[in-house]
Amino acid sequence: MGKLADLKLPLILISEIILCLFFGDMVSVEIKSILYAMSLSIKEALLMVLPFIIFSFLLSSIGTLQKGALSFVVIAFLMVILSNFTATSLAGFLGTFTLNALDTIQPFTPSTLDLLPLWDLDFPSLLSNDTALFLGLLCGILISLTGFHKGQNLARYLQHYALLFLKRLFIPVIPVFVLGFILKMQHDGILELIVRNYLSVFVAITLLAFTYIILLYGLAANFSPQRWFTSIRNMIPALVTGFSTMSSASALPLITTASEKTSKNPVVNGIVPLSINIHMIGDCFSLSILALAIMVSFGLPLPSASTFLTFTLFFVMARFSVAAVPGGGVLVILPVLESTLGFSPEMLSLILALYILFDPIATSANVFGNGAFALLFEKVYTGFRKNVYKKAPQDREA
């Protein structure tokens, strides 16, 4: 039953797309206009609350870390940042190359978009997302370093209510949120183009992401064929669990078991829970390439290297505030897409819908990537400790 519940949201979205594709013309313009206005209103409400959600999750993920084992935490976070940055940058480069090579994305111009919302609310912005990111990061580091218990309790309290908002209020209305934008795209004659365009994009993302992760396993195994194959084979149960449940957390025990079985080092027991919700190679590839494909679809030029670098930097920071809910990986990226890549409300809704549809494969890639990350971290951390202990006697003699 749990797996069926997890699959419920993607199935609803698939049903909405199919029904709108074949029967959208039967819906009156007035109803479409109302549903489109509801979608825009939900989007405005989300963007108003989102800075506080970002702050809460960042504060909790960093602030509740124990101040002991500082080297472990510092190395872990630096490696997570480096891995996410590398994967996102590589996805941007490969995505641009692949989209040009495939040449299957047929752009449509915004001039055809003529469905107007019945109303258009404009909620105030109480705090910018950039400020929330930096404040959450700074406060989390201060609380973690000082071990301030009241601050840690506040962080857990804020995270609890932020998660409650997403689970009880936003997640249930995602079908309504997406439906209005799907009807607008159907009304404007671009829904059929989107359905035709994105199958090849999904295939490309899957091949690129998993090829990259397999190479990471090779790096962790020093490209020894036997160890390389064994490490991948050990992760298959966790990968399947991630695919079927669309939850990295559900696969956490299997990732830990497989990583320790491969490395024979218990240090992986600590790194997997720490990185499970912030190290997401599958999301780095899927969101980056989907964003580029959507820009092509809406007739926008692909971003310059400097623009995509700006997107990548904010994307990597936002990874630390991801909520473990359906669509959580893309929710905190919406304002980043809007501010750095110029996404419109229709584009934001489209990437949310596509991301949720692709979530089983993206999550399995996240799980698979976390297994490789644990093995690489074990190598780096073990080497660091050996160097520290090798120098320690000399330091004491001095």
Side-chain angles (χ1 to χ4, degrees):
M1 291 297 292
K3 293 181 181 180
L4 287 175
D6 290 326
L7 290 170
K8 183 179 179 181
L9 186 55
L11 290 175
I12 291 175
L13 295 181
I14 291 172
S15 300
E16 287 183 349
I17 292 172
I18 293 173
L19 290 173
C20 289
L21 195 61
F22 289 100
F23 304 106
D25 289 334
M26 298 180 183
V27 181
S28 67
V29 174
E30 290 77 13
I31 293 177
K32 290 180 181 178
S33 181
I34 292 172
L35 291 171
Y36 180 42
M38 291 173 62
S39 295
L40 289 174
S41 300
I42 294 170
K43 176 242 179 189
E44 285 294 318
L46 175 64
L47 291 182
M48 182 178 69
V49 177
L50 201 52
F52 301 100
I53 295 174
I54 291 172
F55 175 82
S56 300
F57 277 98
L58 258 178
L59 185 69
S60 179
S61 64
I62 298 175
T64 55
L65 292 173
Q66 299 299 316
K67 66 175 180 178
L70 183 61
S71 62
F72 181 94
V73 173
V74 170
I75 293 173
F77 271 74
L78 287 176
M79 286 189 63
V80 167
I81 291 170
L82 178 62
S83 179
N84 284 341
F85 181 85
T86 303
T88 307
S89 302
L90 185 62
F93 172 76
L94 294 176
T96 301
F97 176 81
T98 303
L99 289 172
N100 289 330
L102 287 175
D103 198 26
T104 57
I105 304 293
Q106 300 178 32
F108 39 80
T109 58
S111 60
T112 61
L113 308 178
D114 54 5
L115 179 68
L116 299 176
L118 191 63
W119 66 85
D120 189 6
L121 300 179
D122 188 15
F123 294 164
S125 177
L126 304 177
L127 182 70
S128 73
N129 294 287
D130 298 349
T131 304
L133 273 171
F134 287 114
L135 280 178
L137 187 63
L138 178 62
C139 293
I141 291 172
L142 290 175
I143 291 173
S144 177
L145 291 177
T146 58
F148 184 46
H149 292 298
K150 289 185 178 179
Q152 292 178 336
N153 291 334
L154 176 63
R156 294 188 184 96
Y157 179 85
L158 291 175
Q159 184 195 36
H160 169 74
Y161 282 99
L163 194 59
L164 202 64
F165 167 81
L166 291 175
K167 285 185 174 180
R168 299 288 177 85
L169 294 178
F170 181 69
I171 300 302
V173 301
I174 281 181
V176 178
F177 173 67
V178 173
L179 178 60
F181 290 109
I182 292 176
L183 281 171
K184 175 172 176 55
M185 287 185 284
Q186 182 276 327
H187 180 85
D188 299 332
I190 60 178
L191 183 60
E192 187 178 350
L193 277 176
I194 289 170
V195 172
R196 287 205 310 262
N197 285 350
Y198 283 89
L199 179 59
S200 60
V201 176
F202 283 163
V203 173
I205 294 171
T206 303
L207 292 176
L208 291 172
F210 278 90
T211 299
Y212 174 70
I213 296 169
I214 288 170
L215 289 174
L216 291 182
Y217 277 97
L219 181 62
N222 293 324
F223 294 100
S224 167
Q226 184 176 354
R227 290 172 56 198
W228 193 353
F229 175 77
T230 301
S231 61
I232 292 175
R233 183 187 61 192
N234 289 341
M235 277 298 299
I236 296 301
L239 189 154
V240 173
T241 300
F243 179 87
S244 59
T245 64
M246 293 188 297
S247 169
S248 295
S250 299
L252 191 151
L254 294 173
I255 301 172
T256 304
T257 302
S259 301
E260 190 172 2
K261 185 178 179 181
T262 300
S263 69
K264 313 296 183 185
N265 190 329
V267 74
V268 297
N269 292 333
I271 188 59
V272 174
L274 178 63
S275 63
I276 193 74
N277 283 324
I278 57 177
H279 179 258
M280 301 181 178
I281 292 178
D283 282 13
C284 292
F285 272 84
S286 61
L287 285 171
S288 299
I289 297 176
L290 281 175
L292 295 176
I294 289 171
M295 292 180 74
V296 174
S297 294
F298 279 78
L300 297 179
L302 289 173
S304 64
S306 60
T307 300
F308 195 82
L309 177 61
T310 303
F311 162 77
T312 301
L313 291 173
F314 281 99
F315 180 94
V316 169
M317 285 191 289
R319 292 292 85 197
F320 289 94
S321 56
V322 170
V325 296
V330 69
L331 288 178
V332 297
I333 306 301
L334 296 182
V336 178
L337 292 167
E338 189 174 38
S339 62
T340 62
L341 300 183
F343 268 45
S344 66
E346 293 80 14
M347 296 166 75
L348 295 175
S349 176
L350 178 58
I351 198 168
L352 174 61
L354 292 174
Y355 176 85
I356 293 175
L357 293 177
F358 193 68
D359 202 14
I361 297 176
T363 302
S364 62
N366 288 336
V367 168
F368 199 36
N370 279 325
F373 180 79
L375 299 178
L376 289 168
F377 175 83
E378 183 267 329
K379 288 187 67 175
V380 173
Y381 185 66
T382 301
F384 170 80
R385 287 178 62 85
K386 284 180 180 178
N387 288 329
V388 168
Y389 287 127
K390 188 184 296 183
K391 295 176 181 177
Q394 299 172 358
D395 296 337
R396 283 196 294 268
E397 288 175 9

